[in-house]
Each structure stands twice: as C-alpha cells, then as structure tokens.
Amino acid sequence: MATLSLLFFGFLSVGLIYTSESLSVASRNLFKYRQFLLIPIYLSFFLDPKSRRRGIQMFELAMIVTLIGSIVYTFIPADYANVEILERSVFKNRITQNILMAFLAYLAAWKFLEKPRQRWPYAILALVAAFNVIAMVSGRSGYLALGVLICLLMYQKLGYKGIVPALLCVGGVGFVAYEQSEKFQLRINQVITEIKEYKTTENRNSGVNLRMEFYENSLDLAKANPILGSGIGSFGLKYQQLMRKKGQLPTANPHNEYVMLLVQNGAVGVCLFLSFFWVAWRATRLLTGFDKALGQAVLAVYLVGCLVNSLMLDTTEGSLFGFLVGLSFAGGAALVGEQSESVPSESSPETEEPAIVRDAA
C-alpha cells in the first residue's frame, strides 16, 4: 500500500513536466493529493493501538461537536440565518459535512453492534447522526455515503446473507425519508428531473445536469491524450478553452475524481489509482476487528464517492482519506512487523516462514 501510494503521487508529479498549465498552478493542484504522501507516515505513526484509539476518538469528538452545532442551527430564526445556517451545515459545506457525518453514524452503529448492552448510547448517536444526514443537511453525496456504509455494515456482520437485508434497509430508509422529509424529497426529485431534462434543456447552471455536462465535455478532452493525459493541474485550462468554443460554463472541477485523473493523467493515472484501492482492499485480510471494518468502510465510500465528487482533490475529504486509511491499516502494519521479528534466521531452515509475512511480502 505504501509503495503504491508513493508511486501514484510520483506519477502525478511527472505530470509537472508536460502540463500545459503554469508551474505554480500545477504545483498547487499536485499538493491537493498530498494524502498519498502522508499515508506511509500515518502508517508508522499509528502503529501503537492507543494512538489509533485516540485518533478515532478525536474524529468522533469533532463530529459530535459538529452534530450539536448542526442541531442548534435548527432553532435559529430564518430572519437571522444565512445560507449555511439554513442548510444546517457546520463543517465547511453540506457535501463535506454529510460525508463526514455518515462516517460517524457508521462508527457509532458498529460499536453498538459489538456490545449492544454496554454501548447503547452509540445506538442513539448513530440514529441522530443518520437523521442529520438524511433530514437536516441536504447533501446528496452524504445520502450515497450513508447507503454504502449501511450495506457494508450488514455485509460485515452477516456476510453475503446480509446483502439482501441491507438493500431492503436502504430502500426502507429511503422510502420513509422521502415521505417524511421535505428536504430529502426535494433533493431526490431534483435529481430525477434534471436527468430527464438533460438532453432537452439548456439551463444547466447547477445540479446533476451540470455535472453530466462536465462529464461529457471532460471525456472529449481526455480523447486528446488518453494514455498520459494533459498534465497535472491542466484540467481547468483545457476545459476553459473548450468552453470558449461551446459557450458553456467553465469549471476547474468536474466533480468526478476518475474523470479528473483521466484528463490530467490519462489511463495510467486512473489504473494506478484503482490499483491502490485493489491492493488496499486485499490488505484488509491482514486486519482484524475495528481496524478491518473501518478500513473497508473508508475504501468503499471513497471508491463510490469519487464517481460523483473529486474527493481526493477536495482538501477536507482528501485529508480525511489519508488520515483514516493510515489509522486503520496501521494495525496490519504493526502485525506484520511483529511477525517479521519472530521469523527465524536462515540457519533454522526447519521452521517455515509465517504465512502472513509471505502475504505481506
């Protein structure tokens, strides 16, 4: 994982050589992916179980404070509220807060299910956090993240038998939320309407139809340099040049990490990115308990979430990815280290090398 993380960042750095953007702008864009440099550091920093426990506790505390602030916003009169307060988003914006809050709901639910009698307050916390995502803060990326985490949690607890109940659970929650929450219903109806009207309307100033326009135009840009892309940081410049011809809205962010990488770093960049997720998911077999559950949760949310947002490019979401990946997978790194110390020297050929060390190698 550490090797692929550094290899991916190294390949992005090579894009500085042939980018069509200025070096300063390209360097700032490259710095957005610094979490891939930090993952090996986090892996070494969180080798101690106490450090991992404190790290996740601090994340939970930060999100509980955010949750309280979001609830307090409910009681502020609309006459004294700005847009952020009306959206009840405390942490940066509704997209960011809802994704982070979905993780809080997952963590609380997982801890409750481990010891229901001793940890019943976590059940309340999970329900309140989920309610905040669904009914209070209208971030559709959070809806998606929460749905992914519910399905994953059921799979982790019940195996393949939990897939059908998970889908029923997500469908049931979605149905109730649609019927009872005006905000949730409005956001879902907006998605359906904008998808239906994409080909027939020219009004693409926001929402899903604008993102679909971004994707369509970005794929046209990717055709020019499909293998290596046009260089790190070049997306905004290339897209603006194309929009001058088409007369559409320019953007520096297509709200899709795979599309962004395809334009800037080509098929090679996308393959390295997906390879990191593949290796990381396989590495979860070295993890146990909470470390394994959290590691899989982070990978699942970001793998799916990157389809609708440039989560690695976004500062908060990208930083959180590096932090949680390093924290959760450090347990496997510590275990491999302990097993490596117990490997006998070559002078003892009769003792077989532990399987976990062979897998790690």
Side-chain angles (χ1 to χ4, degrees):
M1 280 182 57
T3 301
L4 263 178
S5 179
L6 296 175
L7 181 62
F8 174 68
F9 186 85
F11 178 75
L12 297 185
S13 301
V14 173
L16 291 172
I17 300 174
Y18 58 90
T19 182
S20 54
E21 186 55 273
S22 65
L23 184 60
S24 60
V25 174
S27 298
R28 286 199 298 270
N29 186 275
L30 176 64
F31 188 67
K32 292 285 189 178
Y33 294 91
R34 61 190 177 276
Q35 59 268 23
F36 288 95
L37 276 181
L38 293 174
I39 284 175
I41 299 175
Y42 285 132
L43 284 171
S44 61
F45 182 82
F46 287 112
L47 290 176
D48 180 18
K50 291 183 179 179
S51 297
R52 294 200 297 276
R53 185 168 61 252
R54 288 169 183 167
I56 202 63
Q57 287 173 345
M58 290 302 100
F59 172 75
E60 290 174 340
L61 178 60
M63 293 316 302
I64 290 173
V65 172
T66 302
L67 178 59
I68 293 173
S70 186
I71 295 173
V72 169
Y73 273 1
T74 305
F75 302 99
I76 297 178
D79 296 338
Y80 301 95
N82 56 26
V83 175
E84 287 76 15
I85 291 179
L86 289 175
E87 288 291 346
R88 300 189 181 92
S89 58
V90 179
F91 200 103
K92 194 174 180 179
N93 57 55
R94 63 190 183 188
I95 295 177
T96 301
Q97 177 171 319
N98 259 11
I99 292 175
L100 271 64
M101 195 62 65
F103 275 113
L104 177 64
Y106 168 82
L107 293 173
W110 192 91
K111 290 185 176 182
F112 165 72
L113 293 175
E114 282 294 289
K115 298 179 181 179
R117 293 184 179 180
Q118 295 92 331
R119 297 178 175 177
W120 59 267
Y122 277 108
I124 299 175
L125 178 60
L127 292 174
V128 175
F131 180 81
N132 183 260
V133 172
I134 295 172
M136 298 181 69
V137 182
S138 55
R140 289 172 296 204
S141 297
Y143 305 158
L144 179 63
L146 187 63
V148 170
L149 289 172
I150 289 174
C151 293
L152 179 65
L153 182 63
M154 299 285 281
Y155 168 75
Q156 289 172 337
K157 296 299 181 181
L158 301 175
Y160 289 106
K161 296 180 180 178
I163 294 178
V164 174
L167 295 176
L168 293 176
C169 179
V170 171
V173 171
F175 177 79
V176 173
Y178 186 84
E179 293 295 325
Q180 300 299 320
S181 173
E182 182 179 353
K183 184 169 292 189
F184 184 89
Q185 185 179 109
L186 179 64
R187 298 294 283 175
I188 298 301
N189 288 343
Q190 184 181 9
V191 172
I192 297 173
T193 301
E194 290 175 347
I195 291 177
K196 288 181 178 179
E197 297 178 351
Y198 175 70
K199 292 296 184 180
T200 60
T201 182
E202 295 296 329
N203 183 24
R204 300 171 183 173
N205 295 322
S206 63
V208 175
N209 52 21
L210 183 58
R211 293 193 182 196
M212 293 175 67
E213 180 180 284
F214 290 162
Y215 302 162
E216 185 176 336
N217 291 330
S218 298
L219 292 177
D220 288 339
L221 289 176
K223 293 177 182 178
N225 300 282
I227 306 301
L228 298 178
S230 55
I232 192 72
S234 63
F235 179 88
L237 178 63
K238 291 292 185 181
Y239 197 90
Q240 188 177 33
Q241 292 172 349
L242 181 62
M243 292 307 98
R244 288 172 183 168
K245 299 178 181 178
K246 290 192 171 185
Q248 298 174 345
L249 289 175
T251 184
N253 185 348
H255 296 280
N256 184 309
E257 193 66 50
Y258 303 103
V259 171
M260 172 71 83
L261 288 171
L262 185 62
V263 173
Q264 296 192 155
N265 308 102
V268 176
V270 175
C271 289
L272 284 173
F273 184 66
L274 291 174
S275 296
F276 175 84
F277 278 88
W278 180 72
V279 170
W281 187 268
R282 284 175 57 87
T284 58
R285 65 185 180 182
L286 299 177
L287 305 177
T288 58
F290 179 74
D291 291 336
K292 182 176 184 178
L294 179 60
Q296 291 179 344
V298 175
L299 294 174
V301 168
Y302 277 82
L303 188 64
V304 176
C306 282
L307 291 169
V308 294
N309 281 293
S310 300
L311 294 181
M312 300 299 171
L313 188 70
D314 296 331
T315 302
T316 302
E317 292 88 328
S319 299
L320 180 71
F321 176 79
F323 176 78
L324 292 182
V325 165
L327 185 148
S328 56
F329 283 88
L335 184 59
V336 170
E338 293 173 1
Q339 292 290 342
S340 297
E341 292 178 358
S342 64
V343 175
S345 64
E346 295 181 359
S347 59
S348 303
E350 68 279 1
T351 306
E352 185 178 358
E353 185 182 35
I356 191 170
V357 178
R358 294 199 305 272
D359 292 341

